[in-house]
Amino acid sequence: MSDDFAADRGREQQRSLFLALKGAELSLEQLWLRYFGLGGVAGYLDIDAYAHSTGELPPFERDILAQAANERLDELTWSKHATFSRPIRDGEAPNAALSALLQLLKGTDLAPPDQFGSTVFATAVLTELDLRSGRLRYINAGHPDPLLMREGKVVKPLHAGHCCPLGLGLGDLRVGEEVLQPADWLVLYTDGITEARDHTGEFFGEARLFDFLRREAAAGYPPPETARRLIKAVLSHQNGELQDDATVLLARWTQPRQLTP
């Protein structure tokens, strides 16, 4: 990417953010909270300067800012989106996302032996959430069951949608479904969370995970901060040494036009 192209793209991205904010119904403080929740590291004054064309941000930080604005626009079903620092393909037709994920599953089953042999596989949870209705559709290829939290408590694991890990065939593939209520949390995690061991060999475990999530929700922590604190707790349980892949994703669904940083 040439310097001129990058500079032009940067200016276009800055202008598009200014236009997107008009439709997003966000104050700069609310935008920054969303940006920070997605992992952005720039301060509020830096975001203020960038939004008013008096400052610059690195491309990665600009993209996180664009994502924060675009998520809000999706909630409002607004048609104007902020652009990214590199070209992005246009979205596909409604419900195509899950179809693409199903094709991915089929593709791993048909992959050459040198890519997925009988002893080589990958696990995944694939999800599609309708932001307007709260309808969740999911496929679980070998991960722990996702958790549904409501009013600060884990109300149930999502047991449906199971299939074989990627690369081991499709098996009896069925798509799981659940309808979320406003402010519900969806918790996705790998077994590196619950199977983390301390120096005595004791697992972090499901009970400790459920209790942790309950206490964090009761304390009023939002999903991004809860995820950060959970990873810190898992590392502490292992004396700071990560023994396995420990990944967690927390998402909260709110109704369109309901602002929740």
Side-chain angles (χ1 to χ4, degrees), residues 200-246:
T200 68
E202 181 182 357
F203 287 124
F204 190 82
E206 287 187 354
R208 186 180 274 109
L209 172 62
F210 288 14
D211 184 61
F212 179 92
L213 293 171
R214 179 190 59 78
R215 287 186 286 106
E216 296 298 294
Y221 291 115
E225 177 63 10
T226 299
R228 186 190 71 81
R229 291 168 62 86
L230 174 58
I231 291 299
K232 186 176 179 180
V234 170
L235 282 172
S236 177
H237 185 76
Q238 300 174 103
N239 298 313
E241 296 183 6
L242 190 63
Q243 301 161 2
D244 192 6
D245 166 50

Short mmCIF file of all heavy atoms in Angstrom, two decimals, residues 200-246:
data_model
loop_
_atom_site.label_atom_id
_atom_site.label_comp_id
_atom_site.label_asym_id
_atom_site.label_seq_id
_atom_site.Cartn_x
_atom_site.Cartn_y
_atom_site.Cartn_z
N THR A 200 -1.61 -27.53 43.00
CA THR A 200 -2.05 -28.81 43.57
C THR A 200 -2.77 -29.67 42.55
O THR A 200 -3.16 -30.80 42.86
CB THR A 200 -2.98 -28.58 44.78
OG1 THR A 200 -4.23 -28.00 44.32
CG2 THR A 200 -2.33 -27.65 45.80
N GLY A 201 -2.98 -29.14 41.34
CA GLY A 201 -3.70 -29.87 40.32
C GLY A 201 -5.19 -29.61 40.30
O GLY A 201 -5.92 -30.22 39.51
N GLU A 202 -5.67 -28.69 41.15
CA GLU A 202 -7.10 -28.40 41.20
C GLU A 202 -7.50 -27.56 39.98
O GLU A 202 -6.85 -26.57 39.64
CB GLU A 202 -7.46 -27.64 42.47
CG GLU A 202 -8.94 -27.32 42.59
CD GLU A 202 -9.28 -26.53 43.85
OE1 GLU A 202 -8.36 -26.28 44.65
OE2 GLU A 202 -10.45 -26.17 44.01
N PHE A 203 -8.60 -27.95 39.32
CA PHE A 203 -9.11 -27.22 38.18
C PHE A 203 -9.72 -25.88 38.61
O PHE A 203 -10.25 -25.76 39.72
CB PHE A 203 -10.19 -28.02 37.44
CG PHE A 203 -9.66 -29.18 36.65
CD1 PHE A 203 -10.13 -30.47 36.88
CD2 PHE A 203 -8.70 -28.99 35.68
CE1 PHE A 203 -9.66 -31.54 36.15
CE2 PHE A 203 -8.21 -30.06 34.93
CZ PHE A 203 -8.68 -31.33 35.17
N PHE A 204 -9.68 -24.91 37.70
CA PHE A 204 -10.44 -23.68 37.90
C PHE A 204 -11.92 -24.05 37.97
O PHE A 204 -12.65 -23.59 38.85
CB PHE A 204 -10.17 -22.69 36.76
CG PHE A 204 -10.73 -21.32 36.99
CD1 PHE A 204 -10.05 -20.40 37.76
CD2 PHE A 204 -11.94 -20.94 36.41
CE1 PHE A 204 -10.57 -19.12 37.98
CE2 PHE A 204 -12.46 -19.68 36.61
CZ PHE A 204 -11.78 -18.77 37.40
N GLY A 205 -12.38 -24.87 37.03
CA GLY A 205 -13.69 -25.51 37.11
C GLY A 205 -14.89 -24.66 36.75
O GLY A 205 -14.83 -23.43 36.76
N GLU A 206 -15.98 -25.34 36.42
CA GLU A 206 -17.21 -24.66 36.04
C GLU A 206 -17.82 -23.91 37.21
O GLU A 206 -18.33 -22.79 37.04
CB GLU A 206 -18.23 -25.67 35.48
CG GLU A 206 -17.90 -26.18 34.10
CD GLU A 206 -19.02 -27.03 33.53
OE1 GLU A 206 -20.00 -27.30 34.27
OE2 GLU A 206 -18.93 -27.42 32.35
N ALA A 207 -17.82 -24.51 38.39
CA ALA A 207 -18.44 -23.86 39.55
C ALA A 207 -17.76 -22.52 39.85
O ALA A 207 -18.43 -21.52 40.11
CB ALA A 207 -18.37 -24.77 40.77
N ARG A 208 -16.42 -22.50 39.79
CA ARG A 208 -15.70 -21.26 40.04
C ARG A 208 -15.98 -20.24 38.93
O ARG A 208 -16.11 -19.05 39.19
CB ARG A 208 -14.20 -21.53 40.15
CG ARG A 208 -13.39 -20.30 40.55
CD ARG A 208 -11.91 -20.60 40.64
NE ARG A 208 -11.54 -21.13 41.95
CZ ARG A 208 -11.19 -22.40 42.18
NH1 ARG A 208 -11.17 -23.27 41.18
NH2 ARG A 208 -10.88 -22.81 43.39
N LEU A 209 -16.08 -20.73 37.67
CA LEU A 209 -16.39 -19.84 36.56
C LEU A 209 -17.77 -19.22 36.73
O LEU A 209 -17.94 -18.00 36.59
CB LEU A 209 -16.33 -20.62 35.24
CG LEU A 209 -16.83 -19.87 33.99
CD1 LEU A 209 -15.98 -18.63 33.72
CD2 LEU A 209 -16.84 -20.79 32.78
N PHE A 210 -18.78 -20.04 37.06
CA PHE A 210 -20.14 -19.54 37.22
C PHE A 210 -20.19 -18.51 38.35
O PHE A 210 -20.84 -17.47 38.23
CB PHE A 210 -21.10 -20.68 37.53
CG PHE A 210 -21.38 -21.59 36.36
CD1 PHE A 210 -20.59 -21.55 35.22
CD2 PHE A 210 -22.43 -22.50 36.39
CE1 PHE A 210 -20.84 -22.40 34.14
CE2 PHE A 210 -22.70 -23.34 35.33
CZ PHE A 210 -21.89 -23.29 34.21
N ASP A 211 -19.52 -18.82 39.46
CA ASP A 211 -19.52 -17.90 40.60
C ASP A 211 -18.82 -16.60 40.26
O ASP A 211 -19.28 -15.52 40.65
CB ASP A 211 -18.84 -18.57 41.80
CG ASP A 211 -18.91 -17.70 43.04
OD1 ASP A 211 -20.02 -17.39 43.50
OD2 ASP A 211 -17.83 -17.30 43.55
N PHE A 212 -17.73 -16.69 39.51
CA PHE A 212 -17.00 -15.49 39.10
C PHE A 212 -17.89 -14.60 38.25
O PHE A 212 -17.98 -13.38 38.47
CB PHE A 212 -15.73 -15.87 38.32
CG PHE A 212 -14.93 -14.69 37.85
CD1 PHE A 212 -13.91 -14.18 38.62
CD2 PHE A 212 -15.20 -14.10 36.62
CE1 PHE A 212 -13.18 -13.08 38.19
CE2 PHE A 212 -14.48 -13.00 36.19
CZ PHE A 212 -13.47 -12.49 36.98
N LEU A 213 -18.56 -15.18 37.26
CA LEU A 213 -19.43 -14.40 36.39
C LEU A 213 -20.57 -13.76 37.17
O LEU A 213 -20.93 -12.59 36.93
CB LEU A 213 -20.00 -15.31 35.28
CG LEU A 213 -18.98 -15.84 34.26
CD1 LEU A 213 -19.63 -16.89 33.37
CD2 LEU A 213 -18.42 -14.70 33.41
N ARG A 214 -21.12 -14.48 38.12
CA ARG A 214 -22.20 -13.93 38.93
C ARG A 214 -21.72 -12.73 39.74
O ARG A 214 -22.40 -11.69 39.79
CB ARG A 214 -22.75 -15.01 39.87
CG ARG A 214 -23.87 -14.54 40.79
CD ARG A 214 -24.21 -15.58 41.85
NE ARG A 214 -23.06 -15.92 42.68
CZ ARG A 214 -22.61 -15.16 43.66
NH1 ARG A 214 -23.21 -14.00 43.94
NH2 ARG A 214 -21.56 -15.53 44.38
N ARG A 215 -20.56 -12.86 40.38
CA ARG A 215 -20.04 -11.77 41.21
C ARG A 215 -19.67 -10.55 40.38
O ARG A 215 -19.91 -9.41 40.79
CB ARG A 215 -18.82 -12.26 42.00
CG ARG A 215 -19.19 -13.20 43.14
CD ARG A 215 -17.98 -13.56 44.01
NE ARG A 215 -17.10 -14.50 43.35
CZ ARG A 215 -15.92 -14.19 42.84
NH1 ARG A 215 -15.48 -12.94 42.89
NH2 ARG A 215 -15.17 -15.10 42.26
N GLU A 216 -19.10 -10.77 39.21
CA GLU A 216 -18.72 -9.65 38.35
C GLU A 216 -19.95 -8.90 37.84
O GLU A 216 -19.97 -7.66 37.80
CB GLU A 216 -17.89 -10.14 37.17
CG GLU A 216 -16.56 -10.75 37.55
CD GLU A 216 -15.64 -9.77 38.24
OE1 GLU A 216 -15.21 -8.80 37.59
OE2 GLU A 216 -15.36 -9.97 39.44
N ALA A 217 -20.99 -9.64 37.46
CA ALA A 217 -22.22 -9.01 37.00
C ALA A 217 -22.87 -8.23 38.14
O ALA A 217 -23.38 -7.11 37.94
CB ALA A 217 -23.18 -10.06 36.44
N ALA A 218 -22.86 -8.79 39.34
CA ALA A 218 -23.45 -8.11 40.49
C ALA A 218 -22.71 -6.83 40.82
O ALA A 218 -23.30 -5.85 41.30
CB ALA A 218 -23.46 -9.04 41.71
N ALA A 219 -21.40 -6.81 40.55
CA ALA A 219 -20.59 -5.62 40.80
C ALA A 219 -20.77 -4.55 39.73
O ALA A 219 -20.27 -3.44 39.87
CB ALA A 219 -19.13 -6.01 40.91
N GLY A 220 -21.49 -4.90 38.65
CA GLY A 220 -21.77 -3.92 37.61
C GLY A 220 -20.73 -3.80 36.53
O GLY A 220 -20.76 -2.87 35.71
N TYR A 221 -19.78 -4.76 36.47
CA TYR A 221 -18.76 -4.69 35.42
C TYR A 221 -19.36 -5.05 34.06
O TYR A 221 -20.12 -6.01 33.95
CB TYR A 221 -17.61 -5.65 35.73
CG TYR A 221 -16.77 -5.24 36.91
CD1 TYR A 221 -16.74 -6.02 38.07
CD2 TYR A 221 -16.01 -4.07 36.89
CE1 TYR A 221 -15.96 -5.65 39.16
CE2 TYR A 221 -15.25 -3.69 37.97
CZ TYR A 221 -15.23 -4.48 39.10
OH TYR A 221 -14.47 -4.10 40.18
N PRO A 222 -19.02 -4.30 33.00
CA PRO A 222 -19.50 -4.63 31.65
C PRO A 222 -18.74 -5.83 31.10
O PRO A 222 -17.70 -6.23 31.66
CB PRO A 222 -19.19 -3.36 30.85
CG PRO A 222 -18.01 -2.76 31.54
CD PRO A 222 -18.19 -3.07 33.01
N PRO A 223 -19.23 -6.43 30.02
CA PRO A 223 -18.57 -7.63 29.47
C PRO A 223 -17.08 -7.47 29.18
O PRO A 223 -16.30 -8.37 29.54
CB PRO A 223 -19.37 -7.90 28.19
CG PRO A 223 -20.74 -7.39 28.50
CD PRO A 223 -20.51 -6.15 29.32
N PRO A 224 -16.61 -6.37 28.54
CA PRO A 224 -15.15 -6.28 28.27
C PRO A 224 -14.30 -6.34 29.53
O PRO A 224 -13.28 -7.03 29.57
CB PRO A 224 -15.01 -4.93 27.54
CG PRO A 224 -16.34 -4.65 26.96
CD PRO A 224 -17.32 -5.21 27.95
N GLU A 225 -14.72 -5.62 30.58
CA GLU A 225 -13.96 -5.63 31.82
C GLU A 225 -14.07 -6.97 32.53
O GLU A 225 -13.10 -7.46 33.12
CB GLU A 225 -14.45 -4.50 32.74
CG GLU A 225 -13.77 -4.45 34.10
CD GLU A 225 -12.28 -4.17 34.05
OE1 GLU A 225 -11.77 -3.82 32.96
OE2 GLU A 225 -11.61 -4.32 35.08
N THR A 226 -15.24 -7.60 32.45
CA THR A 226 -15.41 -8.93 33.05
C THR A 226 -14.49 -9.94 32.37
O THR A 226 -13.86 -10.76 33.04
CB THR A 226 -16.87 -9.39 32.94
OG1 THR A 226 -17.71 -8.47 33.63
CG2 THR A 226 -17.05 -10.77 33.53
N ALA A 227 -14.38 -9.87 31.04
CA ALA A 227 -13.49 -10.78 30.31
C ALA A 227 -12.04 -10.56 30.73
O ALA A 227 -11.28 -11.51 30.94
CB ALA A 227 -13.66 -10.59 28.81
N ARG A 228 -11.65 -9.30 30.86
CA ARG A 228 -10.27 -9.00 31.27
C ARG A 228 -9.99 -9.55 32.66
O ARG A 228 -8.96 -10.17 32.91
CB ARG A 228 -10.05 -7.49 31.25
CG ARG A 228 -8.60 -7.06 31.52
CD ARG A 228 -8.48 -5.56 31.72
NE ARG A 228 -9.07 -5.16 32.99
CZ ARG A 228 -8.46 -5.24 34.16
NH1 ARG A 228 -7.23 -5.74 34.24
NH2 ARG A 228 -9.05 -4.84 35.26
N ARG A 229 -10.92 -9.35 33.57
CA ARG A 229 -10.73 -9.80 34.95
C ARG A 229 -10.76 -11.33 35.04
O ARG A 229 -10.07 -11.93 35.87
CB ARG A 229 -11.80 -9.18 35.84
CG ARG A 229 -11.62 -7.67 36.01
CD ARG A 229 -12.86 -7.03 36.66
NE ARG A 229 -13.11 -7.53 37.99
CZ ARG A 229 -12.56 -7.04 39.10
NH1 ARG A 229 -11.73 -6.01 39.02
NH2 ARG A 229 -12.84 -7.55 40.28
N LEU A 230 -11.55 -11.98 34.18
CA LEU A 230 -11.60 -13.44 34.18
C LEU A 230 -10.26 -14.02 33.74
O LEU A 230 -9.75 -14.96 34.37
CB LEU A 230 -12.72 -13.93 33.27
CG LEU A 230 -12.81 -15.44 33.06
CD1 LEU A 230 -12.97 -16.17 34.40
CD2 LEU A 230 -13.95 -15.80 32.11
N ILE A 231 -9.69 -13.49 32.67
CA ILE A 231 -8.40 -13.98 32.21
C ILE A 231 -7.33 -13.78 33.29
O ILE A 231 -6.48 -14.65 33.55
CB ILE A 231 -7.98 -13.27 30.91
CG1 ILE A 231 -8.90 -13.70 29.76
CG2 ILE A 231 -6.53 -13.59 30.56
CD1 ILE A 231 -8.88 -15.18 29.45
N LYS A 232 -7.40 -12.65 33.98
CA LYS A 232 -6.46 -12.39 35.07
C LYS A 232 -6.65 -13.41 36.19
O LYS A 232 -5.67 -13.90 36.77
CB LYS A 232 -6.67 -10.98 35.59
CG LYS A 232 -5.65 -10.54 36.64
CD LYS A 232 -5.86 -9.10 37.04
CE LYS A 232 -4.85 -8.66 38.10
NZ LYS A 232 -5.04 -7.24 38.50
N ALA A 233 -7.90 -13.75 36.50
CA ALA A 233 -8.18 -14.73 37.55
C ALA A 233 -7.67 -16.12 37.15
O ALA A 233 -7.15 -16.86 37.99
CB ALA A 233 -9.68 -14.77 37.85
N VAL A 234 -7.85 -16.49 35.89
CA VAL A 234 -7.38 -17.79 35.41
C VAL A 234 -5.86 -17.85 35.47
O VAL A 234 -5.27 -18.86 35.90
CB VAL A 234 -7.89 -18.06 33.98
CG1 VAL A 234 -7.22 -19.29 33.38
CG2 VAL A 234 -9.40 -18.24 33.98
N LEU A 235 -5.19 -16.79 35.06
CA LEU A 235 -3.73 -16.75 35.14
C LEU A 235 -3.26 -16.84 36.59
O LEU A 235 -2.29 -17.54 36.91
CB LEU A 235 -3.20 -15.47 34.49
CG LEU A 235 -3.14 -15.46 32.97
CD1 LEU A 235 -2.80 -14.07 32.46
CD2 LEU A 235 -2.13 -16.48 32.45
N SER A 236 -3.95 -16.15 37.48
CA SER A 236 -3.59 -16.19 38.89
C SER A 236 -3.75 -17.61 39.45
O SER A 236 -2.93 -18.07 40.24
CB SER A 236 -4.46 -15.21 39.68
OG SER A 236 -4.18 -15.28 41.07
N HIS A 237 -4.80 -18.30 39.01
CA HIS A 237 -5.03 -19.68 39.47
C HIS A 237 -3.88 -20.59 39.03
O HIS A 237 -3.56 -21.56 39.73
CB HIS A 237 -6.35 -20.19 38.88
CG HIS A 237 -6.76 -21.54 39.37
ND1 HIS A 237 -7.29 -21.76 40.63
CD2 HIS A 237 -6.72 -22.76 38.77
CE1 HIS A 237 -7.56 -23.04 40.78
NE2 HIS A 237 -7.22 -23.67 39.67
N GLN A 238 -3.24 -20.26 37.90
CA GLN A 238 -2.13 -21.06 37.38
C GLN A 238 -0.77 -20.48 37.75
O GLN A 238 0.23 -20.81 37.11
CB GLN A 238 -2.24 -21.16 35.85
CG GLN A 238 -3.52 -21.78 35.36
CD GLN A 238 -3.63 -21.73 33.85
OE1 GLN A 238 -3.42 -22.71 33.16
NE2 GLN A 238 -3.96 -20.56 33.32
N ASN A 239 -0.77 -19.58 38.75
CA ASN A 239 0.48 -18.95 39.17
C ASN A 239 1.16 -18.20 38.03
O ASN A 239 2.39 -18.17 37.93
CB ASN A 239 1.44 -19.99 39.75
CG ASN A 239 0.89 -20.66 40.99
OD1 ASN A 239 0.37 -20.00 41.90
ND2 ASN A 239 0.97 -21.99 41.03
N GLY A 240 0.33 -17.59 37.17
CA GLY A 240 0.86 -16.73 36.11
C GLY A 240 1.38 -17.45 34.89
O GLY A 240 1.89 -16.82 33.97
N GLU A 241 1.27 -18.77 34.84
CA GLU A 241 1.79 -19.55 33.70
C GLU A 241 0.62 -20.16 32.94
O GLU A 241 -0.06 -21.05 33.46
CB GLU A 241 2.74 -20.64 34.18
CG GLU A 241 4.01 -20.09 34.84
CD GLU A 241 4.96 -21.20 35.24
OE1 GLU A 241 4.68 -22.38 34.89
OE2 GLU A 241 5.97 -20.90 35.88
N LEU A 242 0.40 -19.71 31.70
CA LEU A 242 -0.70 -20.22 30.89
C LEU A 242 -0.36 -21.63 30.41
O LEU A 242 0.65 -21.84 29.74
CB LEU A 242 -0.94 -19.29 29.69
CG LEU A 242 -2.19 -19.56 28.86
CD1 LEU A 242 -3.43 -19.34 29.72
CD2 LEU A 242 -2.23 -18.65 27.64
N GLN A 243 -1.20 -22.60 30.76
CA GLN A 243 -0.94 -24.00 30.45
C GLN A 243 -1.62 -24.46 29.16
O GLN A 243 -1.24 -25.48 28.59
CB GLN A 243 -1.41 -24.87 31.62
CG GLN A 243 -0.75 -24.53 32.94
CD GLN A 243 -1.53 -25.05 34.14
OE1 GLN A 243 -2.57 -25.69 33.98
NE2 GLN A 243 -1.05 -24.74 35.33
N ASP A 244 -2.65 -23.76 28.73
CA ASP A 244 -3.42 -24.17 27.56
C ASP A 244 -4.08 -22.92 26.99
O ASP A 244 -4.11 -21.87 27.63
CB ASP A 244 -4.47 -25.21 27.96
CG ASP A 244 -5.11 -25.90 26.76
OD1 ASP A 244 -4.65 -25.65 25.62
OD2 ASP A 244 -6.06 -26.68 26.96
N ASP A 245 -4.60 -23.06 25.77
CA ASP A 245 -5.34 -21.95 25.19
C ASP A 245 -6.51 -21.60 26.10
O ASP A 245 -7.37 -22.44 26.37
CB ASP A 245 -5.87 -22.34 23.80
CG ASP A 245 -6.92 -21.38 23.29
OD1 ASP A 245 -6.66 -20.17 23.33
OD2 ASP A 245 -8.00 -21.84 22.88
N ALA A 246 -6.55 -20.37 26.57
CA ALA A 246 -7.64 -19.92 27.45
C ALA A 246 -8.27 -18.70 26.81
O ALA A 246 -7.76 -17.58 26.93
CB ALA A 246 -7.10 -19.60 28.84
#
